[in-house]
């Protein structure tokens, strides 16, 4: 626990302007985040693979490609689609940030990987969608590189008899958002392919409503209305067909969601409905939700100012909601307030926190102090052909491979964090951990380019040179 005197100092706070000793290199952070998603790629890797210690893997999967979910090697379609949709939202809304940071081409390349996977996973003729590749129990009982896997990797499908409109709706949203992004890029053929798949998959989902049977996997969804809402809204953005907007209004829940993450997209539904209608009803719904997150709301705040929702991916939750706040601000909703709060949350992640004497980055590879033992199999292994097994998991040594760009789960409600490989609660990484974080970085870079970066007041600012 922090001493009383130190806590008192922390609570004083410190105001920081951009380009001072408190400034963060958001461009460096976004470049690294893109590399993390490249690290998670499954299948036959391209010749320009930027991750030297990654190779081809899982070439016999029922559908090859896509991303490994986290530190493990299962491909879960629900969080993969959630991550992809958020990333595409950031690209569609803050394309200028990717351009000015020199990452636009890399971003298109990175996000095309899961989109290609979704196109293969959805069979519009058979009306089946791959929901998962791999068995969670068997996968978690083994430690090693994805390139060395030998266990069976069964496929689980959604069909007319095996419901899963939460997953099929989530994929339809990603495909529709992708259609917008690649149309804007000028790749009209690929955009049309994505849109056609999105429309057919949404129609299938709408005709076969129901939550995926979570006994098949490890991701338990409580509802499918949020994914259906996202899908219909991205399809409305892509087509301007009024029936999609009409559908979206029927999927909106009236009560504020617990958070915004892979499982619940109702906060996104509120924001997207406001974007499409400009109705004060949906603007008020966005404000209602974000009020629960800002100081004075229902959340716990750590002594150093992190908005803390859950021990599972505490930084993921803060980063996701920072992204929503920045998108809302860009829409003209409480702009100054939301921008200040969101940037402070990202600054906490990048060093304005007390861990290890301060200036500690929870993004691997950013700055000079960051996690050395993330819960991630591939990065815990030495270069091939050296063996990798549970001995590497139990080793006290840092991961041989630097997992550049990954955001770890994060600290507890007292700002306490342990950099331990066996702590999968606070030290695992995942694609959905990085998605909102990267989206928020893009929004902040956009603000920098417009000279709109707010004055921040982080309670534990990094003051290192």
């Amino acid at each position: 626990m922090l001493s009383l005197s130190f806590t008192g100092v922390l609570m004083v706070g410190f105001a920081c302007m951009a380009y001072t000793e408190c400034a963060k290199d958001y461009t460096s952070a976004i470049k690294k985040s893109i590399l993390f998603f490249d690290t998670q790629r499954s299948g036959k890797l391209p010749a320009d693979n930027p991750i030297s210690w990654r190779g081809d893997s899982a070439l016999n999967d029922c559908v090859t490609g896509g991303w490994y979910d986290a530190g493990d090697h299962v491909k879960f379609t629900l969080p993969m689609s959630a991550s992809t949709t958020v990333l595409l939202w950031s690209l569609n809304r803050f394309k200028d940030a990717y351009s000015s940071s020199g990452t636009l081409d890399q971003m298109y390349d990175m996000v095309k990987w899961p989109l290609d996977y979704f196109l293969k996973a959805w069979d519009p003729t058979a009306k089946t969608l791959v929901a998962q590749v791999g068995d969670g129990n068997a996968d978690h009982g083994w430690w090693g590189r994805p390139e060395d896997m030998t266990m069976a990797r069964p496929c689980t499908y959604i069909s007319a008899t095996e419901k899963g409109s939460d997953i099929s709706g989530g994929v339809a949203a990603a495909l529709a958002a992708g259609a917008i992004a690649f149309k804007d890029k000028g790749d009209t053929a690929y955009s049309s392919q994505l849109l056609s798949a999105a429309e057919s998959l949404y129609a299938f989902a709408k005709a076969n409503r129901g939550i995926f049977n979570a006994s098949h996997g490890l991701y338990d969804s409580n509802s499918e209305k949020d994914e259906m809402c996202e899908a219909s809204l991205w399809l409305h953005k892509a087509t301007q067909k009024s029936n999609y907007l009409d559908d979206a209004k029927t999927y909106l829940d009236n009560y504020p969601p617990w958070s915004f993450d892979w499982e619940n997209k109702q906060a996104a539904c509120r924001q997207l409905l406001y974007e499409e209608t400009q109705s004060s009803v949906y603007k008020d719904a966005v404000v209602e939700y974000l009020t629960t997150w800002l100081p004075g709301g229902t959340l716990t705040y750590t002594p150093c100012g992190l908005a803390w929702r859950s021990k599972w991916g505490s930084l993921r939750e803060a980063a996701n909601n920072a992204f929503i706040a920045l998108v809302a601000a860009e829409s003209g909703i409480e702009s100054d307030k939301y921008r200040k709060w969101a940037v402070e949350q990202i600054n906490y992640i990048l060093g304005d926190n007390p861990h290890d004497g301060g200036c500690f980055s929870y993004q691997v590879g950013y700055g000079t102090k960051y996690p050395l033992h993330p819960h991630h199999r591939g990065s815990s292994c030495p270069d091939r052909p050296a063996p990798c097994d549970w001995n590497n998991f139990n080793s006290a040594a840092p991961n041989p491979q630097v997992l550049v760009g990954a955001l770890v789960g994060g600290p507890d409600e007292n700002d306490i964090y342990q950099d331990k490989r066996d702590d999968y609660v606070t030290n695992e990484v995942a694609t959905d951990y990085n998605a909102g974080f990267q989206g928020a970085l893009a929004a902040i870079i956009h603000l920098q380019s417009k000279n709109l970066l707010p004055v921040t007041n982080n309670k534990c600012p990094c003051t290192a040179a």
Side-chain angles (χ1 to χ4, degrees):
M1 295 290 291
L2 296 169
S3 69
L4 182 60
S5 60
F6 184 44
T7 302
V9 172
L10 295 180
M11 296 304 289
V12 171
F14 191 89
C16 298
M17 293 288 290
Y19 310 115
T20 70
E21 67 272 18
C22 302
K24 303 293 183 286
D25 189 344
Y26 304 111
T27 292
S28 174
I30 203 169
K31 288 178 177 178
K32 294 178 190 302
S33 181
I34 290 173
L35 287 176
F36 169 66
F37 287 101
D38 287 341
T39 299
Q40 295 301 99
R41 290 189 295 190
S42 178
K44 178 73 174 176
L45 300 187
D48 62 354
N49 166 39
I51 313 300
S52 63
W53 48 274
R54 281 301 325 281
D56 300 342
S57 61
L59 298 180
N60 294 318
D61 282 356
C62 60
V63 178
T64 58
W67 289 327
Y68 296 122
D69 177 58
D72 57 7
H73 301 134
V74 183
K75 295 189 297 197
F76 295 103
T77 303
L78 183 59
M80 193 191 307
S81 64
S83 302
T84 305
T85 302
V86 169
L87 289 166
L88 285 162
W89 195 357
S90 77
L91 176 58
N92 290 333
R93 194 63 185 261
F94 303 111
K95 182 180 177 181
D96 64 311
Y98 288 101
S99 181
S100 66
S101 63
T103 59
L104 186 59
D105 289 342
Q106 293 94 321
M107 179 58 175
Y108 279 122
D109 180 68
M110 177 268 276
V111 82
K112 191 173 183 293
W113 198 263
L115 290 173
D116 285 348
Y117 176 79
F118 297 144
L119 288 174
K120 293 187 290 185
W122 165 235
D123 185 336
T125 302
K127 290 184 168 45
T128 59
L129 174 70
V130 174
Q132 180 177 316
V133 181
D135 178 270
N137 292 326
D139 183 90
H140 290 182
W142 178 82
W143 193 269
R145 306 178 187 87
E147 294 83 1
D148 298 337
M149 291 186 295
T150 59
M151 80 285 284
R153 290 176 58 80
C155 257
T156 306
Y157 293 89
I158 292 166
S159 65
T161 55
E162 292 290 335
K163 306 298 185 184
S165 50
D166 47 350
I167 299 179
S168 49
V171 174
L175 291 167
I180 295 170
F182 281 89
K183 181 179 181 180
D184 188 57
K185 182 178 184 288
D187 192 343
T188 55
Y190 188 58
S191 174
S192 296
Q193 185 182 10
L194 293 171
L195 184 56
S196 176
E199 292 205 89
S200 64
L201 184 53
Y202 176 78
F204 166 77
K206 188 176 177 181
N208 295 277
R209 302 281 297 277
I211 299 172
F212 179 64
N213 183 354
S215 65
H216 294 317
L218 300 174
Y219 283 87
D220 185 5
S221 181
N222 294 317
S223 174
E224 42 81 65
K225 289 171 63 179
D226 51 326
E227 285 86 10
M228 294 297 291
C229 188
E230 266 201 323
S232 57
L233 285 164
W234 282 111
L235 280 165
H236 181 258
K237 283 180 176 287
T239 67
Q240 292 302 302
K241 294 179 182 177
S242 61
N243 61 297
Y244 290 127
L245 184 57
D246 292 339
D247 283 355
K249 295 173 182 177
T250 70
Y251 300 134
L252 180 67
D253 282 340
N254 292 324
Y255 52 87
W258 187 80
S259 189
F260 169 56
D261 50 34
W262 65 265
E263 194 279 321
N264 194 322
K265 290 95 169 178
Q266 282 289 339
C269 183
R270 292 174 176 220
Q271 172 60 30
L272 291 167
L273 273 167
Y274 176 64
E275 291 178 10
E276 294 305 281
T277 66
Q278 296 297 298
S279 167
S280 61
V281 171
Y282 301 119
K283 178 181 179 180
D284 291 346
V286 172
V287 172
E288 179 188 38
Y289 171 69
L290 286 172
T291 297
T292 68
W293 272 83
L294 268 67
T298 59
L299 251 69
T300 295
Y301 273 75
T302 70
C304 282
L306 176 69
W308 195 91
R309 170 58 87 186
S310 168
K311 69 178 183 179
W312 292 94
S314 60
L315 297 178
R316 174 263 310 272
E317 301 292 352
N320 282 357
N321 286 283
F323 174 65
I324 285 287
L326 288 164
V327 173
E330 198 67 18
S331 299
I333 305 175
E334 302 280 0
S335 298
D336 293 342
K337 180 195 297 187
Y338 291 168
R339 284 169 177 164
K340 178 179 182 295
W341 176 82
V343 175
E344 287 173 351
Q345 295 304 303
I346 299 304
N347 285 352
Y348 178 102
I349 291 172
L350 293 177
D352 289 352
N353 62 70
H355 185 72
D356 195 18
C359 300
F360 181 86
S361 167
Y362 285 104
Q363 184 190 35
V364 178
Y366 178 94
T368 59
K369 292 190 289 186
Y370 48 79
L372 300 177
H373 308 82
H375 182 91
H376 184 272
R377 295 175 196 173
S379 70
S380 77
C381 298
D383 290 338
R384 290 172 288 171
C388 185
D389 53 30
W390 287 105
N391 290 322
N392 301 87
F393 171 81
N394 292 315
S395 171
N399 287 15
Q401 318 296 346
V402 179
L403 190 60
V404 174
L407 178 67
V408 298
D412 68 12
E413 65 270 34
N414 296 308
D415 293 310
I416 304 301
Y417 162 79
Q418 297 186 75
D419 181 14
K420 297 175 60 180
R421 190 179 299 112
D422 61 356
D423 190 343
Y424 51 83
V425 176
T426 64
N427 223 30
E428 185 151 28
V429 299
T431 58
D432 72 289
Y433 284 20
N434 266 72
F437 171 62
Q438 182 173 313
L441 289 170
I444 294 170
I445 293 168
H446 164 79
L447 293 177
Q448 282 184 312
S449 70
K450 302 296 184 181
N451 293 316
L452 293 173
L453 196 66
V455 176
T456 56
N457 190 32
N458 281 79
K459 294 180 177 180
C460 302
C462 170
T463 56

